[in-house]
Amino acid sequence: MTTQTAALTRANDLQPHAIALLRIALGVMTLAHGLMKVFLFTVPGTVGYFESLGLPGFLAHLTILAEVGGGLALILGLYTRWISLALVPVLLGAAWVHLGNGWVFSNEGGGWEFPVFWAIALLVQAGLGSGSLTLSRRFA
């Protein structure tokens, strides 16, 4: 085996762990955003915010459920491809909310680049699958 072949083999051995690292990071971020809506903004506060944007209040409940449930599923490696795809519209909705604030998320009210990047990372995760460290390979 050549040195180059050995290096590629080692890199391929690490790939499932790199995929899992992305999945877990996306899951932690998603869960944190959902729990922030529950414990910091409160559910009624989040509903009120959605309604102030002209959105139906029930979408706040669906968003919280998607973020908390989806975040936990990603952390555990359950249905990673489907959960990742299901979360993309949530992030595109967040990008829509922040669109008028400009590009940079540090702008007042936050910008749209972070939710768009997050949506793209979820699409990448959907393409990659679960990687290693899943609760169950059967439901990965």
Side-chain angles (χ1 to χ4, degrees):
M1 183 180 303
T2 68
T3 306
Q4 185 178 17
T5 305
L8 287 173
T9 300
R10 284 192 301 279
N12 288 338
D13 291 344
L14 293 176
Q15 187 174 18
H17 304 304
I19 293 168
L21 179 62
L22 175 63
R23 184 194 82 235
I24 293 166
L26 288 168
V28 168
M29 288 175 27
T30 304
L31 177 62
H33 273 76
L35 293 177
M36 178 177 63
K37 288 173 178 66
V38 172
F39 295 114
L40 181 63
F41 302 139
T42 74
V43 174
T46 303
V47 169
Y49 179 69
F50 273 58
E51 289 174 341
S52 78
L53 297 171
L55 298 169
F58 78 89
L59 284 181
H61 294 280
L62 292 178
T63 299
I64 291 169
L65 179 65
E67 290 179 347
V68 171
L72 287 172
L74 287 175
I75 291 167
L76 298 173
L78 300 175
Y79 301 106
T80 298
R81 293 179 193 274
W82 292 110
I83 296 296
S84 296
L85 289 174
L87 288 170
V88 169
V90 174
L91 272 299
L92 294 179
W96 171 78
V97 167
H98 295 287
L99 192 61
N101 302 333
W103 164 256
V104 182
F105 207 69
S106 61
N107 287 345
E108 186 175 335
W112 57 267
E113 92 286 353
F114 181 67
V116 168
F117 174 79
W118 194 349
I120 292 167
L122 285 165
L123 289 172
V124 170
Q125 188 70 61
L128 294 172
S130 294
S132 63
L133 305 172
T134 62
L135 183 66
S136 167
R137 293 303 312 160
R138 181 176 177 204
F139 299 109

